[in-house]
Amino acid sequence: MTELLWLIPLLPLLSAIVLMVLPQLSVKALPQSLIAVIGVGSVGSAMLLTLTLALSGGPYPIEQTLWTWMAVGGFTPGVAFYIDGLTLVMMSIITGVGFLIHVFSSEFMLGDHSYARYFAFLNLFVSAMLILVMADNLLLLFLGWEGVGVCSYFLVGFWYQQPDNGRAARKAFIVTRIGDTAMALGLLLLFSELGTLNIQGLGVAAAGQWQAGDTMPLIACLLLLGGAVGKSAQLPLQTWLPDAMAGPTPVSALIHAATMVTAGVYLIARTHELFLLAPTAMMVVALIGLATSLMAACSALVQHDIKRILAYSTISQIGYMFLALGVGAWASGIFHLMTHAFFKALLFLGSGAIIHCLHHEHNIFKMGGLRSRLPVVFWSFIFGSAALAALPLTSGFFSKDQILVQVFLHPQGGAWLWFGALVGALLTAIYSFRLVFVVFFGVANTEVDKKPGWAMAVPLSLLCMLAAVGGLFAIPVDNVFPAVSEHHPSIWVEVVSAAVPLLGLSIAYLLFLGKQWSLQPLLRRPLSQRLRYFWLNHWGLDALYDLILVRPYYSLANALSSEPIDRLYGAIVWVNQQLHGLLSRTQGGRVRSYIASMVLGLLLLIALSLYGGGEM
């Protein structure tokens, strides 16, 4: 099986190329059934290869070098793969959850005139993400990293005919480039200091050259963190993700569950040996994660667009993963990444089914009463929201409980971090079941015009099972990360951690289903209205960035557009336009004029040749 390792990223890449080229060569439009077979089948084949690799049982790690990418001085990075337990978990999520999203897409996008283009970009996305997680060196990882960034631009702006979609795509691309620039600087620093970008070699070289707490590993880790913050939509570069909901809903599921936003978590986990040498950087990771989690949870409480609620939920849950990584709970962070992939793909695909069946409606307050009309989707949201809220015995409970325990045990402010994480868990349960109660209970405000077919129902059903029992899976990362303390806190810590989501569910019931409590008197107060508006508009960050970055940039560009040097280029354009005008006048359509000009030109050439010959 190890000899076929290279096929796993290659199959989606080849299918993407085929779906880009084949429609251009075909006289007739390709049947959408054929496009679906190519697009879905390639990712399904990659999933089967990954499953075969996982079942083979190792031995790990597996290293495979295909060829040397470049040789510049002593720098010889290869196109090479490194497979260990962490890589295998990521590959399983990307291909497994990605395959279910592809199956769902085959029905969701049916009838779209850009069906082939959609699957081409989707498969290119999967291939780039696989290259990112399989790479054995940071340069190849960076290639996949930039690949998912480009694909996100293509897919967020997929329906480019609408200007807002184009703006959202450009915003996602530009904001994440800020983090990517920091990451590129970090790679340059690591190579200049350690002489290698091989991931395993970096850990050895760093441990031999640096001591824990040195300045150089701190700078390198903060630069890598900059890249992770951009890709994983954490403070202060998280503003692109809610607007990225402009793309098709299955794209949102792929970005949030299986690919792009998990890349930053993977980067920090993969380079954990560097971060262990920079305790300050790890604390920054934890604080960014906690702050982002709380901020996004507050915003999710007041949103009315079903996809934006889930988008803020993703930002918040990625914050939990950052918090886990920051306190050294590496395995717990990756475990939550896996369970999050299950329930977040389920919720996004469920929201896509609702939008598909309700005349493309996004406003949750224009829905209602869908529990009997869309039973499969209803149960999808029940299982998905329960796991998101970390209700006991769901997949989200097992992973989040591990994080909370490790956070509490952290020697530097663990109790305060734990309390902040509990507040985030409470808010998560409230907004999760606010969504369920508003959409599926009460009076129906919009009639269902269609039912989801098998291609939608089957992925939703499978993801329901994974959201329910995914917490029982054991991830093979024991040999990847350093062992954590076996000490357990007092039983009351775990009881409180389990009780808080139940408290959030009860509050959501009293507010949005039972209606025993009413928020209207509170919401009518001016301060509450301003706070709600503040949270609804992303804590004013978009307005702030527009004020301090976007407007000054446009003002500077406008000022430079009339600088004197531009007049030189304008003069060149004017001269060419005048010469073109003179030449166009010779094209009068008269044959006599053409013959006369040809004769004159011939006489001129003869005269020049005779004159030149006389001098010789």
Side-chain angles (χ1 to χ4, degrees):
M1 174 57 208
T2 56
E3 295 79 12
L4 301 178
L5 194 61
W6 53 275
L7 279 176
I8 296 176
L10 183 63
L11 287 173
L13 177 61
L14 288 178
S15 67
I17 294 172
V18 168
L19 291 174
M20 289 178 188
V21 174
L22 198 57
Q24 308 303 320
L25 301 178
S26 177
V27 177
K28 295 182 180 179
L30 292 178
Q32 293 194 337
S33 57
L34 175 61
I35 295 170
V37 167
I38 296 172
V40 178
S42 61
V43 177
S45 300
M47 179 193 68
L48 291 176
L49 290 172
T50 302
L51 180 62
T52 304
L53 177 65
L55 294 177
S56 67
Y60 299 110
I62 300 170
E63 299 183 54
Q64 184 181 74
T65 301
L66 301 181
W67 64 83
T68 299
W69 187 354
M70 64 182 75
V72 181
F75 184 51
T76 56
V79 176
F81 301 135
Y82 181 88
I83 311 299
D84 61 2
L86 174 59
T87 312
L88 196 59
V89 170
M90 296 300 298
M91 291 169 64
S92 301
I93 293 170
I94 296 163
T95 57
V97 176
F99 172 69
L100 295 177
I101 293 170
H102 273 67
V103 173
F104 186 95
S105 296
S106 65
E107 180 180 338
F108 184 88
M109 296 298 292
L110 204 61
D112 194 289
H113 70 280
S114 297
Y115 200 69
R117 179 167 62 91
Y118 172 82
F119 276 104
F121 290 157
L122 210 63
N123 286 13
L124 189 62
F125 206 159
V126 170
S127 178
M129 190 67 190
L130 285 169
I131 291 172
L132 189 158
V133 301
M134 294 171 67
D136 88 327
N137 63 83
L138 289 179
L139 187 63
L140 186 60
L141 183 150
F142 193 64
L143 176 67
W145 187 276
E146 291 301 302
V148 296
V150 171
C151 292
S152 71
Y153 171 77
F154 292 149
L155 288 167
V156 170
F158 180 77
W159 289 313
Y160 58 86
Q161 298 87 350
Q162 302 173 28
D164 287 345
N165 296 347
R167 280 192 288 270
R170 291 193 297 274
K171 182 177 181 180
F173 189 77
I174 293 170
V175 172
T176 54
R177 290 292 77 69
I178 297 170
D180 294 355
T181 302
M183 181 179 172
L185 292 173
L187 300 190
L188 292 172
L189 175 63
L190 287 171
F191 180 73
S192 64
E193 291 293 320
L194 303 178
T196 182
L197 287 180
N198 179 274
I199 296 173
Q200 306 309 312
L202 278 173
V204 175
Q209 184 168 330
W210 295 331
Q211 299 294 322
D214 285 353
T215 302
M216 201 57 69
L218 172 62
I219 296 173
C221 289
L222 290 178
L223 289 171
L224 293 178
L225 175 60
V229 160
K231 273 289 186 292
S232 290
Q234 299 292 285
L235 278 169
L237 300 179
Q238 81 288 3
T239 57
W240 66 270
L241 192 58
D243 291 346
M245 298 303 96
T249 305
V251 170
S252 303
L254 191 64
I255 289 176
H256 290 245
T259 56
M260 188 166 171
V261 296
T262 62
V265 178
Y266 172 77
L267 175 66
I268 296 175
R270 177 52 77 194
T271 57
H272 67 276
E273 292 174 322
L274 295 175
F275 277 86
L276 287 172
L277 296 173
T280 302
M282 289 186 63
M283 182 52 66
V284 172
V285 172
L287 293 175
I288 286 176
L290 180 60
T292 306
S293 180
L294 292 173
M295 182 220 68
C298 291
S299 292
L301 279 172
V302 298
Q303 300 297 318
H304 48 76
D305 185 306
I306 188 170
K307 289 179 65 177
R308 289 181 76 88
I309 294 171
L310 297 177
Y312 280 107
S313 166
T314 297
I315 297 172
S316 182
Q317 295 305 303
I318 297 291
Y320 271 101
M321 299 173 207
F322 268 62
L323 175 60
L325 300 179
V327 299
W330 310 102
S332 300
I334 297 301
F335 187 30
H336 193 57
L337 186 154
M338 181 187 73
T339 60
H340 175 264
F342 299 153
F343 62 72
K344 188 49 62 69
L346 175 60
L347 289 170
F348 262 111
L349 295 185
S351 70
I354 293 173
I355 293 166
H356 183 72
C357 299
L358 255 69
H359 316 284
H360 302 284
E361 182 58 65
H362 286 236
N363 192 330
I364 62 172
F365 294 106
K366 294 183 180 179
M367 298 176 186
L370 296 180
R371 114 179 145 273
S372 58
R373 293 172 173 82
L374 298 173
V376 174
V377 181
F378 168 66
W379 286 108
S380 299
F381 266 81
I382 289 294
F383 281 100
S385 297
L388 171 60
L391 295 187
L393 302 182
T394 62
S395 62
F397 166 77
F398 289 104
S399 57
K400 190 175 286 186
D401 184 64
Q402 284 189 13
I403 293 175
L404 291 173
V405 168
Q406 293 299 318
V407 168
F408 184 84
L409 295 174
H410 193 256
Q412 297 181 5
W416 289 106
L417 293 174
W418 176 75
F419 178 75
L422 283 181
V423 174
L426 177 67
L427 297 176
T428 300
I430 294 173
Y431 72 67
S432 298
F433 283 94
R434 166 184 178 260
L435 177 60
V436 171
F437 295 146
V438 171
V439 171
F440 293 98
F441 293 84
V443 179
N445 296 310
T446 304
E447 288 300 320
V448 175
D449 65 343
K450 64 184 76 170
K451 299 285 186 179
W454 71 267
M456 288 186 175
V458 170
L460 290 174
S461 301
L462 292 174
L463 287 167
C464 277
M465 290 190 292
L466 291 172
V469 303
L472 302 177
F473 297 164
I475 57 174
V477 296
D478 292 339
N479 296 326
V480 179
F481 303 119
V484 297
S485 172
E486 296 293 333
H487 175 67
H488 286 277
S490 302
I491 189 64
W492 69 266
V493 174
E494 297 197 28
V495 170
V496 171
S497 299
V500 164
L502 294 173
L503 175 61
L505 169 60
S506 303
I507 293 173
Y509 175 85
L510 294 172
L511 287 173
F512 304 107
L513 185 58
K515 304 291 180 70
Q516 288 89 342
W517 294 353
S518 175
L519 289 175
Q520 292 307 314
L522 179 64
L523 293 177
R524 281 194 289 267
R525 296 180 180 178
L527 179 60
S528 298
Q529 292 177 358
R530 286 194 291 269
L531 184 62
R532 181 179 179 277
Y533 180 82
F534 185 61
W535 288 354
L536 186 65
N537 289 277
H538 209 92
W539 292 57
L541 287 175
D542 278 324
L544 177 64
Y545 293 158
D546 186 66
L547 178 65
I548 65 175
L549 296 174
V550 179
R551 292 183 187 177
Y553 176 82
Y554 278 122
S555 299
L556 180 62
N558 291 329
L560 294 177
S561 65
S562 58
E563 63 181 3
I565 192 68
D566 285 339
R567 296 179 183 178
L568 174 61
Y569 299 115
I572 294 172
V573 172
W574 182 85
V575 169
N576 280 279
Q577 288 175 337
Q578 298 305 311
L579 291 175
H580 173 75
L582 291 174
L583 289 173
S584 64
R585 293 177 186 175
T586 63
Q587 306 299 311
R590 295 183 179 181
V591 177
R592 290 179 299 174
S593 300
Y594 296 161
I595 293 174
S597 62
M598 291 170 63
V599 170
L600 287 174
L602 181 60
L603 292 174
L604 181 60
L605 288 173
I606 293 172
L608 289 173
S609 63
L610 291 174
Y611 177 75
E615 282 191 344
M616 291 175 63

